[in-house]
Amino acid sequence: MDALTITRPDDWHLHLRDGAAMADVLPYTARQFARAIVMPNLKPPVTTTAAAQAYRERIVAALPAGLRFAPLMTLYLTDNTPAEEIRRAKASGIVHGVKLYPAGATTHSDSGVTSLARCSAALAEMEKVDLPLLIHGEVTHRHVDVFDRERFFIDEQLIPLRRDFPALRVVFEHITTREAADYVVAAAGRIGATITAHHLLYNRTRLFADAEGRTGMRPHYYCLPVLKRETHRQALLAAATGGNPRFFLGTDSAPHPKGEKESACGCAGCFTAASALEMYAMAFEEAGALDRFEGFASHHGPDFYGLPRNAAQVTLRREQWHLPAEIKFGSASLVPLAAGEPLPWKLVA
């Protein structure tokens, strides 16, 4: 197969940041995707519908002429989010989910939830008005190994949450383990999961060696949840390519300045917006499942969220190319994931 044409996809998990930095990375997403669920973990976080509306207006204003893209906004759940705000968010028509960050789990999560019990009123209202809960599924206990945080979250938090709110629509975002994939397949009710391209393509060895096996820390491959063992990557690949409509595309593209990644305490996050579809196509080709790529990338996400599928199409062509070593990011630059590595597919239209 030398070309692949599919319904124009959406990105169901995206970080855009704000200001001049956002304006620099937004065109990469808008070129590839028709819509995107935009994460609310700014400083300060987007905790109200009014703040989400203002952020949406800034995104739309920064969109280059000629590109059509619709940001789908989210609220940042806190211990004190009132039920009234959930009702306002649903009524707005622009807020499509509420994001649960366990406090301290990842970038800009300091204002996140310390206990789900403190969010019961908001969660009950979300269940009532059918506003999805988008979950960063990791515990933050210091005694739990970073590679086990997702597995512990399922037993300690997710299963009780869904027992208490059985009608709540839940997206288990950027899953990284066999246990998470198995849970989503087996669970009853309204649950879906996003999977990133980097978790489909790489295992945790890539944190410590390049594609040729040369050892050394690779900070631009560091993300949270962190890359896992090869057995988990294979399980995610099987889930993504298996045709199950509960799994869909979410890049978790997360830009950081180069200096904040290449530091003694580097930020978690991989910037993949510049080559997301090409990297997903690589993963599906590895699994011999390019015929199922359109479902995962273009159909399952809007179906789960109850939105119409896009009418337009995009085409990928088999053509080797390389990402630039750095991309402008406000007053700094960022390094895209897989910079300098050959990519066998290229988005052409």
Side-chain angles (χ1 to χ4, degrees):
M1 184 181 294
D2 294 324
L4 179 64
T5 298
I6 62 172
T7 302
R8 192 177 182 199
D10 305 298
D11 184 351
W12 300 99
H13 186 145
L14 175 69
H15 298 269
L16 284 175
R17 311 307 184 204
D18 209 349
M22 178 264 287
D24 284 334
V25 297
L26 174 61
Y28 293 101
T29 289
R31 179 173 174 265
Q32 298 220 343
F33 299 103
R35 299 169 290 198
I37 288 281
V38 180
M39 291 295 103
N41 57 333
L42 304 181
K43 283 190 173 182
V46 179
T47 57
T48 67
T49 305
Q53 177 67 53
Y55 186 25
R56 184 183 186 278
E57 290 171 1
R58 296 195 298 274
I59 295 169
V60 171
L63 191 64
L67 289 179
R68 300 185 65 183
F69 170 74
L72 309 177
M73 309 312 294
T74 60
L75 298 190
Y76 186 113
L77 186 65
T78 74
D79 289 348
N80 303 308
T81 300
E84 293 81 1
E85 195 60 57
I86 299 301
R87 287 194 289 272
R88 278 192 290 271
K90 180 66 176 182
S92 73
I94 66 159
V95 175
H96 294 266
V98 179
K99 182 60 182 271
L100 166 62
Y101 287 109
T106 188
T107 302
H108 298 172
S109 63
D110 295 345
S111 300
V113 171
T114 63
S115 170
L116 284 173
R118 296 178 176 177
C119 306
S120 58
L123 293 168
E125 193 64 28
M126 290 168 61
E127 184 180 41
K128 179 180 178 181
V129 303
D130 191 20
L131 190 61
L133 178 67
L134 320 179
I135 297 177
H136 181 114
E138 292 188 289
V139 300
T140 56
H141 313 316
R142 295 182 67 180
H143 66 274
V144 176
D145 189 285
V146 67
F147 292 100
D148 295 327
R149 289 178 176 176
E150 184 174 276
R151 176 168 61 87
F152 273 69
F153 183 89
I154 295 169
D155 293 332
E156 292 185 10
Q157 303 289 333
L158 185 56
I159 291 174
L161 167 72
R162 299 190 65 244
R163 181 186 61 232
D164 294 342
F165 301 96
L168 181 64
R169 194 190 304 260
V170 171
V171 181
F172 195 174
E173 297 197 309
H174 48 46
I175 63 170
T176 64
T177 60
R178 177 184 296 277
E179 289 85 358
D182 289 347
Y183 175 78
V184 172
V185 169
R190 309 168 80 191
I191 184 167
T194 59
I195 308 178
T196 76
H198 42 292
H199 286 102
L200 291 176
L201 289 174
Y202 308 120
N203 61 39
R204 66 186 189 179
T205 299
R206 187 51 72 92
L207 290 167
F208 310 108
D210 66 11
E212 281 71 46
R214 294 184 291 262
T215 57
M217 277 296 301
R218 308 290 165 177
H220 300 287
Y221 289 81
Y222 171 55
C223 57
L224 287 173
V226 71
L227 297 174
K228 303 297 196 298
R229 292 180 182 271
E230 177 64 10
T231 54
H232 295 296
R233 187 185 78 86
Q234 290 293 336
L236 296 178
L237 195 59
T241 62
N244 189 319
R246 292 191 177 199
F247 299 103
F248 41 93
L249 184 156
T251 67
D252 193 21
S253 182
H256 291 282
K258 178 181 178 181
E260 293 183 14
K261 291 287 288 180
E262 300 176 1
S263 71
C265 187
C267 295
C270 300
F271 181 72
T272 58
S275 57
L277 289 180
E278 292 92 339
M279 295 176 76
Y280 278 111
M282 288 171 60
F284 273 71
E285 185 167 40
E286 175 190 336
L290 281 174
D291 59 318
R292 295 178 178 171
F293 182 43
E294 184 176 38
F296 174 83
S298 309
H299 297 164
H300 300 170
D303 292 353
F304 185 86
Y305 273 86
L307 294 171
R309 297 177 182 179
N310 297 312
Q313 294 181 316
V314 297
T315 296
L316 294 151
R317 186 173 63 209
R318 190 179 299 282
E319 176 184 333
Q320 189 172 106
W321 65 291
H322 296 77
L323 286 162
E326 296 184 24
I327 289 172
K328 185 178 180 297
F329 187 53
S331 60
S333 66
L334 62 80
V335 177
L337 190 68
E341 297 181 20
L343 298 176
W345 290 93
K346 188 172 184 179
L347 181 66
V348 293

